[in-house]
Amino acid sequence: MPSVNDITYETPSQPRQLRLDSTSRCQASCLSCHRYLTHRSGEMPIQMISQILDDASNLPEPLVEIVPVNYGEFFMRKDWLRILQLIEQKLPDTMIVIPTNGALVNGEAVDKLCQIHNVGVINFSVNAFFDETYEAFTGLKAKTMELIKHSARQILLLRPDIEVQASMVFDPIYQTDLEQNKFIDYWKDMTTVFINPAASAGRAPRPVKPVKIPCRSIFSDFVIGFDGKLSSCCFDADFSVYDLGFYSGHLKADWNSKMFQEFRKLHNQHRRDEIETCKICTFA
């Protein structure tokens, strides 16, 4: 039978996905969000974003994906369109993936979004089916779900090549199984539906069996914080899981740094439990 010890990953010479922590601001207060586990707060200067994009454009191969936000709400930046235009200009062969709570994605925003040729995925974090659950979970008004539905249909009409996603962070402490099923049935005909387990991020209750499987994220993803701090963890809102330092101005060198290689080595040796956060996280 297969063993967890059979699973290891090779490190590519450059990341597959780059996430820019363009803003930590968000008007929602989702119960599952890691943004509330940190005191970090800020916005990445547009000059820094441009510098990083120039650097990324010099990589041997185009990045597969770029995500212009990490935990904040991208559309709270007044210059969000300018950022997308810079990405389109500097990384024309890289797909843009945009996660959003959808509260600011109105008809005008959709029209502008759809003008950016390499926008490939828009993920609406909906997280609920019933009005009461939605308001309790996100802190937003339930009418936002109607706006999301309208925007999703408008995107599909204007740009059928864009994958529109509706996602739910699911946990029985937040939603019932019935709500999850109704969520899937409601959104499946107009979007790609994603159900994400809330507990994978190291929240209580902790796993009863130590997780030994290497985390695939650190072999493919790179995150640059608003202040240049580096991470590669999906759930590291505090940028403290891996001590990777700050962006040097050379993305490829940072990706292949000795420190980062040591962390990947621990994972591939099935010793991720020597890293405190990785020890209590089930993402693999």
Side-chain angles (χ1 to χ4, degrees):
M1 295 294 290
S3 165
V4 296
N5 294 322
D6 297 332
I7 299 177
T8 59
Y9 297 104
E10 291 185 6
T11 303
S13 62
Q14 64 181 55
R16 175 187 180 277
Q17 181 195 85
L18 178 64
R19 296 200 300 277
L20 303 181
D21 187 28
S22 60
T23 182
S24 62
R25 294 186 300 144
C26 185
Q27 75 280 58
S29 54
C30 297
L31 296 175
S32 64
C33 186
H34 284 69
R35 196 165 59 90
Y36 300 102
L37 302 179
T38 179
H39 296 294
R40 284 175 55 83
S41 179
E43 192 163 283
M44 185 179 286
I46 189 74
Q47 297 85 354
M48 182 177 177
I49 292 173
S50 183
Q51 178 191 356
I52 293 169
L53 296 177
D54 284 334
D55 183 17
S57 72
N58 291 320
L59 290 170
E61 299 291 336
L63 289 165
V64 175
E65 294 178 356
I66 185 165
V67 186
V69 73
N70 194 37
Y71 278 114
E73 172 53 45
F74 181 56
F75 295 97
M76 291 194 74
R77 285 195 64 133
K78 295 184 182 300
D79 59 353
W80 66 263
L81 181 60
R82 177 58 182 150
I83 294 171
L84 295 184
Q85 290 169 337
L86 283 172
I87 296 173
E88 181 182 42
Q89 171 192 340
K90 298 174 185 290
L91 301 177
D93 298 318
T94 295
M95 181 170 64
I96 302 173
V97 177
I98 305 175
T100 176
N101 61 45
L104 298 175
V105 185
N106 55 22
E108 181 183 358
V110 167
D111 286 340
K112 293 176 180 178
L113 265 178
C114 290
Q115 294 172 18
I116 306 297
H117 87 275
N118 51 334
V119 171
V121 175
I122 300 176
N123 181 291
F124 289 102
S125 299
V126 187
N127 294 314
F129 173 78
F130 297 116
D131 290 353
E132 296 86 350
T133 311
Y134 182 82
E135 293 189 350
F137 188 99
T138 67
L140 300 172
K141 296 296 184 183
K143 63 182 181 181
T144 305
M145 289 191 287
E146 284 299 314
L147 173 62
I148 292 172
K149 180 176 69 172
H150 178 77
S151 297
R153 287 176 170 165
Q154 186 179 356
I155 293 166
L156 291 172
L157 180 64
L158 295 174
R159 285 281 303 277
D161 59 304
I162 293 176
E163 180 179 353
V164 180
Q165 302 174 348
S167 63
M168 169 186 275
V169 176
F170 177 77
D171 193 297
I173 68 172
Y174 301 137
Q175 310 99 339
T176 63
D177 291 337
L178 173 66
E179 182 155 15
Q180 178 185 199
N181 293 337
K182 285 187 173 293
F183 179 89
I184 294 169
D185 287 341
Y186 182 80
W187 289 100
K188 67 182 181 182
D189 291 334
M190 69 183 95
T191 69
T192 302
V193 177
F194 282 94
I195 305 296
N196 303 310
S200 64
R203 288 187 174 84
R206 297 185 177 186
V208 296
K209 181 180 71 65
V211 177
K212 297 290 187 179
I213 299 174
C215 175
R216 61 186 184 272
S217 178
I218 66 171
F219 293 88
S220 64
D221 305 348
F222 216 20
V223 188
I224 302 180
F226 62 80
D227 55 357
K229 203 169 184 181
L230 299 174
S231 182
S232 188
C233 173
C234 301
F235 307 116
D236 186 16
D238 206 34
F239 284 72
S240 61
V241 176
Y242 305 108
D243 185 15
L244 299 179
F246 288 81
Y247 174 60
S248 68
H250 300 282
L251 185 63
K252 188 175 180 181
D254 292 335
W255 173 254
N256 292 291
S257 68
K258 182 178 179 180
M259 183 67 72
F260 203 3
Q261 296 287 14
E262 287 299 315
F263 284 120
R264 295 193 190 102
K265 182 178 178 180
L266 282 176
H267 275 253
N268 266 341
Q269 291 176 342
H270 306 96
R271 295 162 56 199
R272 65 182 281 173
D273 57 344
E274 296 179 23
I275 306 167
E276 190 57 35
T277 301
C278 300
K279 178 181 180 180
I280 60 174
C281 178
T282 62
F283 188 82

